[in-house]
Every structure is written in C-alpha cells, then in structure tokens.
Amino acid sequence: MVRTRFTEEFGVRYPLVQGGMQWVGRAPLVAAVANAGALGFLTALTQPTPDELRAEIARCRELTDQPFGVNLTILPTINPPPYAEYRQAIIDSGVRIVETAGSNPAEHLQHFHAHGIKVIHKCTSVRHAVKAQSLGVDAVSIDGFECAGHPGEDDIPGLVLIPAAADRITVPMLASGGFADGRGLVAALALGADGISMGTRWMATVESGIHEKVKQRLVEAEERDTQLIFRQLRNTARVADNEVSREVVRRLNEGAAFEEVRDLVAGARGVKVYETGDVEHGIWSAGMVQTLIRDIPTCAELVERIIGEAGAVIRERLASALEPAAPVGA
Ligand code: NAD
C-alpha cells in the first residue's frame, strides 16, 4: 500500500494516474486502469464530437464502478474543436475529475468548479504550475522534458523540475514524464510529488486499444528513439522516431512553415498508426521512458507490479541505506 495526499483527496487506491493520450485514452483502457486501482482519463478530443464523448463516458461507466476522469487539452489544432461543448458534455455526464492541459485553464476551471468537479492541471514549467495553483486548481501534474507529447519549450527534465515545483506547490502534485515502474514512483515521492502520471507505459498494456505492432515497437525502442518536432513553431512535441518524424524535423529545420508539414503531422494520419500497426505511417507519441518498457502486461498486473516494486525499494533499498555501517575490520 502506498498512500499519499493524492490518494486521500482524490479517492483513488494508488497514487498512479493514466494521463490524457490523444487517440489512446478510450473507455476499455481507462476502465481497466480504474479497476486496477489507479486513476485513468478518457481523452476528450479523441472523440470526434461532444455527443460521442458523452457515449464514451457512458461506455466507460459500464466497464467500471471506480472513479475515472476526462482530459481536456487545449493546444494548436488543424481544426479547432468546440471546447465549450466538450466541457459541457463532461459536466452533463457527471464526471468528477478533469485533467486540463496545454494552456491556461482559467476559463474552464470556473465552469468545472461550479459543478463540483476537481481539476488537475498538467503543465511543463514551475511558473505555470504556480499560476494554476493561484487560479485554484485542485492538483497539478508537472510534466518533465522526458515526456511524450508536448513538453513545452524550457527543456527542464523531471529531476530538476519536480523538486523545483514541489518547493512552490502546496496542493497535491503529480509527477509525469519518464515514469514506468516502482523505482520511478519512489523517486517521484522522494522529490516531493504525491504520485505519478504515466502515458507511454499504459500504451503497452493488454487493454490499450492500439495495434499490437505499436505495443511491440514500444517494447523494442530505446531512450534515443524519439524525435522533437515543432521546435521552430514553439509547439514542441516528443514523438516516436520514424521516417515521418525525421522528415518533419528536416523540413522545419530548413525553414518550412506549418502548412508545409501539415499533411505529414495531421492527427488523422497519425491515428492510422495505432489502427494498422504501421509504425512508419505517421506521427505518434512516445516518451523516452519506452526504454524501460519490456513487456505488455494487463493494467492490473502493471499496477500491482509498480506498487510492489515501490514497497520493496522503500523497505529494502532505502531502509538498508539507514542501517548502521558494520564496524571497520568486522
Ligand atoms: P491536429 O491534427 O490538429 O494537429 C497535429 C499536430 O500539429 C498537433 O500536435 C498540433 O498541436 C499541431 N498543430 C496543429 N496546428 C498547428 C499550428 N498551426 N502550429 C503548430 N502546430 C500545430 O491534432 P490531433 O492529433 O487531431 O489532436 C487534436 C488535439 O489534441 C491537438 O490540439 C493535440 O495537440 C491535442 N493532443 C492532446 C493530447 C492529450 O493527451 N490530451 C495529446 C496529444 C495531442
């Protein structure tokens, strides 16, 4: 058992979260995470319309009686979605926890709070975490440079970012980016976090709906097998290394505008990777932590393993470091 302020305040058995993942955060995965005792988030924009998000929330409820949430990410998009309508679908569906990400949550926060919904804001810098806290979010998730998806533009890895944020944050704080196992959970707790949020690790589970070949690619891939695209556009995204991501980096390095890479990077193309298993077809998200992924467990196996490992690290490795040293010459 690992209990923290996060588990207490959010009513979750373990301090483990499955954060928003475009095209991946769907009901079967989120329900499996919830049934395993962790907190999963459906990704709102994965659903083509707000009504389909309502249906997805209902489908998730049929699969679990445990708490789960919905992620609402606000970033540049090729076709801007009707955010307020997605927000209303979340509110109408009686969801109790929301993860916001991508930009200042102020506008959405007031609506969610008016309906008693707790908001965890995910951000990639100490200043944004402090700002979100001052706006009244219920928790922050601080996302290090290691992460998949959008790491921001500051390039601060978790080892510095997490304790730097912990020194300024008084609400419960999750650490994200680069976590996959019990060692990571203990490290995050040591650095001042109240739990961890993972993305890439959950992609390689039995219940994640992506193609087996993509899961296998995550098992094979190492820490160097990611690319940072959109640096020049100040919308950096860490994605899997493949022919398409390398071509996008090449074109943008040569001064191309977004329009000139648009067809390559479109989410509508990237989602085909997850559907067909052709890992070279488009852009798909993966974090450096893929190097620590060596199998494809069920969510329940993964959660029990992480909690078991964390307990062992605390009881054995850390506790033994406190034992008195043997006398010299003994
Ligand atoms: P999309 O097809 O609209 O765009 C593909 C990528 O291009 C995204 O990374 C997007 O941020 C970027 N982009 C779009 N227009 C841009 C512009 N004018 N300048 C710079 N970059 C631009 O995106 P999608 O794959 O259909 O995803 C829909 C939304 O969900 C996007 O905002 C995306 O960033 C976001 N998203 C959410 C999560 C999550 O976990 N919630 C993860 C990844 C992406």
Side-chain angles (χ1 to χ4, degrees), residues 19-23 43 45 71-79 83 149-150 230 233 235 237 258 265-268 285:
M21 288 182 278
Q22 183 70 358
W23 311 122
T43 304
L45 302 184
N71 163 285
L72 186 64
T73 296
I74 296 154
L75 283 168
T77 50
I78 293 173
N79 300 307
Y83 293 109
H150 294 263
F230 302 150
L233 308 175
N235 183 32
F258 180 74
V265 304
S285 292

Side-chain angles (χ1 to χ4, degrees), residues 36-111:
L39 179 60
F41 286 90
L42 293 171
T43 304
L45 302 184
T46 293
Q47 300 304 320
T49 65
D51 277 346
E52 281 160 287
L53 175 58
R54 288 174 214 268
E56 191 71 356
I57 294 168
R59 183 159 84 111
C60 200
R61 283 232 174 81
E62 282 170 16
L63 299 173
T64 185
D65 58 3
Q66 296 299 305
F68 65 90
V70 177
N71 163 285
L72 186 64
T73 296
I74 296 154
L75 283 168
T77 50
I78 293 173
N79 300 307
Y83 293 109
E85 291 174 33
Y86 277 96
R87 183 180 72 214
Q88 197 57 43
I90 294 168
I91 293 169
D92 293 345
S93 300
V95 169
R96 307 311 301 157
I97 308 172
V98 163
E99 180 187 68
T100 53
S103 61
N104 186 319
E107 178 195 341
H108 300 289
L109 186 63
Q110 53 173 308
H111 292 277

Side-chain angles (χ1 to χ4, degrees), residues 123-132 142 153-154 168 234:
C123 52
T124 58
S125 73
V126 175
R127 63 190 185 285
H128 292 152
V130 168
K131 174 76 182 175
I142 190 86
E153 310 305 323
D154 293 348
R168 305 279 304 278
R234 295 193 63 76

Side-chain angles (χ1 to χ4, degrees), residues 3 8 20 23 28 30 79 82 85 92 94 100 140 193 196 201 216 225 232 262 268 282:
R3 262 202 319 274
E8 301 293 308
W23 311 122
V30 173
N79 300 307
E85 291 174 33
D92 293 345
T100 53
V140 297
I196 56 173
R201 175 64 270 198
Q216 206 51 49
D225 298 329
Q232 297 82 351
R262 191 179 115 135

Side-chain angles (χ1 to χ4, degrees), residues 209-283:
I210 64 177
H211 198 283
E212 284 303 311
K213 285 186 179 160
V214 183
K215 298 180 191 178
Q216 206 51 49
R217 175 67 190 149
L218 289 169
V219 170
E220 291 158 6
E222 298 179 355
E223 63 272 24
R224 293 190 302 158
D225 298 329
T226 70
Q227 292 286 335
L228 291 169
I229 61 171
F230 302 150
R231 293 249 78 167
Q232 297 82 351
L233 308 175
R234 295 193 63 76
N235 183 32
T236 300
R238 186 183 298 283
V239 300
D241 174 58
N242 65 15
E243 286 170 22
V244 180
S245 59
R246 286 193 294 274
E247 176 64 11
V248 171
V249 169
R250 191 185 66 74
R251 286 192 198 177
L252 292 173
N253 277 343
E254 288 175 357
F258 180 74
E259 286 308 307
E260 294 165 76
V261 296
R262 191 179 115 135
D263 292 344
L264 287 177
V265 304
R269 177 175 177 145
V271 71
K272 293 274 187 292
V273 170
Y274 299 134
E275 289 168 4
T276 66
D278 177 1
V279 295
E280 296 292 326
H281 183 77
I283 296 292

Side-chain angles (χ1 to χ4, degrees), residues 106-119:
E107 178 195 341
H108 300 289
L109 186 63
Q110 53 173 308
H111 292 277
F112 288 134
H113 273 177
H115 292 87
I117 298 170
K118 283 187 191 289
V119 174

Side-chain angles (χ1 to χ4, degrees), residues 122 141-148 151 156-159 161-162 174-180 188 196-200 238 287-289:
K122 188 175 201 174
S141 182
I142 190 86
D143 207 7
F145 184 54
E146 302 89 332
C147 73
I156 312 296
L159 200 54
L161 187 65
I162 298 160
L174 298 168
S176 45
F179 295 103
I196 56 173
S197 176
M198 305 187 296
T200 309
R238 186 183 298 283
M288 290 173 159
V289 78

